[in-house]
Amino acid sequence: MITIRDIKAFCTAPDRIPLVVVKVETSEPGLYGLGCATYTQRFLTVKDCVENYMKPLLVGKDVSRIEDIWQMANVSPYWRNGPILNNALSGVDEALWDIKGKMANMPLYDLLGGKVREAAAVYRHAGAISTTNPKYGKLVTFDELDEQIDKYLAEGVRYIRIQYGRYGGVHALDDVKPEGACEGVYYDPRRYMRETVQTIAHVREKYGDELELLHDVHERLEAIDAVRLAKELEPYNLFYLEDLLAPEQVDWFRNIRSQTTTAIAMGELFNNPNEWMTLIKERLIDFIRVHISQIGGLTPARKLQILCENFSVRTAWHGPGDVSPIGHAVNVHLDLASWNFGIQEWAGFGEGCKEVFPGCPELRNGYVYLNDKPGIGVDFDEKAAEKYPCSTNLPTWTNARRPDGTLARP
Ligand code: MG
């Protein structure tokens, strides 16, 4: 029997975004697994959970029993389904799948039933701010937005997320804030809606119907405004409209469904199965958008993917810069083995990530490819990782405020 000998957590920021990597070492010399436990906004707390709770719980356990280990580690703290514990669990879970693939001498997608496609189609991000006031950050004109789109098209990308400035659009005007208003990233939701529709209309007009367009609302609208935006964007035939509502307001998806055929993606902030169950079984969404480490790793993500297949919901796993290359590779393994795959978000890797994580998946002509090594196929250079310490500065973009100073979610 091969057992868990040690569990370590590493924090590194090779592309300046803090990442958390879990390494599970085994009783078999040279056999280890790697998993992604990245919760970038609270990375130290995840590391602490892995080292002080997961390790004592799991050292000595049989590495082959992934399901039992997942179930045990999930209930060991009694209270469960939170982002810290789920990320720690993901790091261990993905590392155990990596080990199983290495033991079987098979890539992870083969353990999941084998490929149903050779590579995963991706979407890239393009963004514009349609104001001309230089006071509110970097301005990108429609011409500059078009340049970004042209660059992606030249690279073979066929799906592009179109944003109007930052999430929630441009900052609100300083002169409408009340005296003494709190610090924060100000935005105006109503103006954001108007300018988003104008921006997407511009892109559709210029590039025609072949280009697939996506947009992320990032939960920053009042519910009735979200219904209205989904209706206003219907003529532009989006591939999907993402995170239109905050997780606290998901009942409003029934209203959206009854009002428009705009395709809906949801779930980036979900941690708990209760958050997605109703949306899937009532067929209120078209794409599940969870962040795989936030729900506890590959084991629950595979179950979620199969649940979705039964209800005609496709997958669109969260794939931003705050997922390690190991986590991105797990997304793609699942993409390749899932009949109901929809699209893969692709942030791309900088030189730092490529140095620290040998074997990163590669983007070619709009598709991301894996390297077909056993397991997840991405390694981790511990020495190189030490060169890229993580900043403990708190995130500022999550402190978003409306024009009158009220804190917005998220
Ligand atoms: Mg999003």
Side-chain angles (χ1 to χ4, degrees):
M1 182 172 79
I2 298 173
T3 58
I4 296 174
R5 186 173 60 79
D6 198 5
I7 301 179
K8 296 170 179 166
F10 302 86
C11 299
T12 181
D15 288 349
R16 302 203 300 179
I17 300 172
L19 305 173
V20 186
V21 173
V22 169
K23 183 175 190 179
V24 173
E25 296 178 350
T26 74
S27 55
E28 185 85 357
L31 178 62
Y32 61 89
L34 298 164
C36 182
T38 301
Y39 177 4
T40 202
Q41 290 83 1
R42 294 293 184 270
F43 60 91
L44 289 173
T45 319
V46 175
K47 178 177 163 65
D48 179 81
C49 184
V50 170
E51 293 175 343
N52 291 314
Y53 296 99
M54 288 290 178
K55 178 180 166 180
L57 179 71
L58 300 177
V59 163
K61 297 284 186 292
D62 178 353
V63 296
S64 70
R65 299 193 174 198
I66 300 176
E67 179 70 22
D68 186 65
I69 287 174
W70 192 92
Q71 297 291 348
M72 181 178 58
N74 187 42
V75 296
S76 170
Y78 184 44
W79 279 280
R80 57 188 180 272
N81 296 317
I84 302 295
L85 294 168
N86 278 356
N87 271 285
L89 192 48
S90 167
V92 172
D93 177 70
E94 293 179 4
L96 291 173
W97 280 103
D98 192 27
I99 290 167
K100 195 176 280 296
K102 288 171 177 171
M103 289 168 69
N105 198 28
M106 287 180 183
L108 181 56
Y109 59 73
D110 271 337
L111 301 181
L112 302 175
K115 284 182 182 178
V116 293
R117 59 187 62 77
E118 294 308 311
V122 303
Y123 75 83
R124 304 300 308 267
H125 299 178
I129 295 177
S130 65
T131 178
T132 51
N133 188 336
K135 201 170 158 189
Y136 302 106
K138 185 170 177 288
L139 300 179
V140 183
T141 63
F142 276 6
D143 284 346
E144 288 167 314
L145 171 67
D146 297 347
E147 271 177 43
Q148 292 178 29
I149 294 170
D150 291 339
K151 178 176 154 287
Y152 288 138
L153 290 176
E155 292 170 0
V157 173
R158 286 167 285 273
Y159 300 77
I160 300 181
R161 190 186 79 168
I162 305 296
Q163 296 298 127
Y164 154 68
R166 304 177 66 129
Y167 296 124
V170 293
H171 301 187
L173 301 176
D174 281 344
D175 55 15
V176 303
K177 289 182 197 171
E179 294 167 14
C182 291
E183 287 285 303
V185 179
Y186 278 74
Y187 76 103
D188 181 339
R190 305 273 289 177
R191 180 173 163 184
Y192 153 75
M193 286 171 63
R194 292 191 297 274
E195 300 205 10
T196 292
V197 174
Q198 289 163 9
T199 307
I200 289 172
H202 158 77
V203 175
R204 186 55 88 203
E205 163 86 11
K206 171 151 186 186
Y207 291 91
D209 293 334
E210 294 288 311
L211 182 59
E212 295 288 3
L213 305 179
L214 304 86
H215 178 73
D216 185 0
V217 177
H218 232 274
E219 309 102 359
R220 286 187 176 179
L221 292 177
E222 290 296 334
I224 189 64
D225 288 337
V227 182
R228 182 185 170 96
L229 180 66
K231 287 180 68 168
E232 289 188 345
L233 289 174
E234 187 177 282
Y236 306 107
N237 192 19
L238 295 184
F239 188 74
Y240 67 57
L241 182 59
E242 174 184 344
D243 286 359
L244 191 51
L245 296 165
E248 294 84 353
Q249 298 300 336
V250 294
D251 286 352
W252 277 82
F253 278 117
R254 291 190 188 91
N255 305 62
I256 291 166
R257 213 43 157 182
S258 70
Q259 292 291 322
T260 175
T261 57
T262 293
I264 301 295
M266 180 66 188
E268 181 173 317
L269 284 172
F270 287 169
N271 297 287
N272 184 322
N274 289 314
E275 292 172 305
W276 59 68
M277 202 64 77
T278 301
L279 296 180
I280 295 167
K281 75 182 185 192
E282 293 192 17
R283 299 170 170 90
L284 298 176
I285 60 172
D286 303 282
F287 295 86
I288 190 73
R289 260 293 287 160
V290 305
H291 187 111
I292 285 182
S293 70
Q294 287 288 343
I295 66 164
L298 177 64
T299 293
R302 174 63 161 168
K303 294 172 185 177
L304 174 55
Q305 173 254 314
I306 292 168
L307 174 74
C308 285
E309 182 185 310
N310 286 280
F311 291 90
S312 197
V313 173
R314 284 173 281 173
T315 64
W317 311 116
H318 195 219
D322 53 325
V323 172
S324 74
I326 296 161
H328 280 285
V330 168
N331 285 345
V332 180
H333 279 283
L334 198 42
D335 296 340
L336 298 195
S338 303
W339 179 75
N340 58 324
F341 165 69
I343 191 70
Q344 182 59 58
E345 180 183 24
W346 193 249
F349 304 123
E351 290 310 309
C353 261
K354 289 179 192 167
E355 177 193 1
V356 173
F357 296 94
C360 283
E362 287 179 13
L363 180 65
R364 298 194 295 274
N365 198 29
Y367 291 97
V368 64
Y369 293 82
L370 296 167
N371 59 30
D372 298 331
K373 286 183 182 155
I376 294 170
V378 178
D379 211 345
F380 178 61
D381 185 334
E382 293 173 36
K383 262 271 165 287
E386 286 173 11
K387 292 194 295 187
Y388 303 102
C390 298
S391 162
T392 51
N393 289 343
L394 291 170
T396 54
W397 69 272
T398 49
N399 183 10
R401 289 182 185 272
R402 297 180 192 149
D404 73 349
T406 305
L407 190 79
R409 290 174 177 168

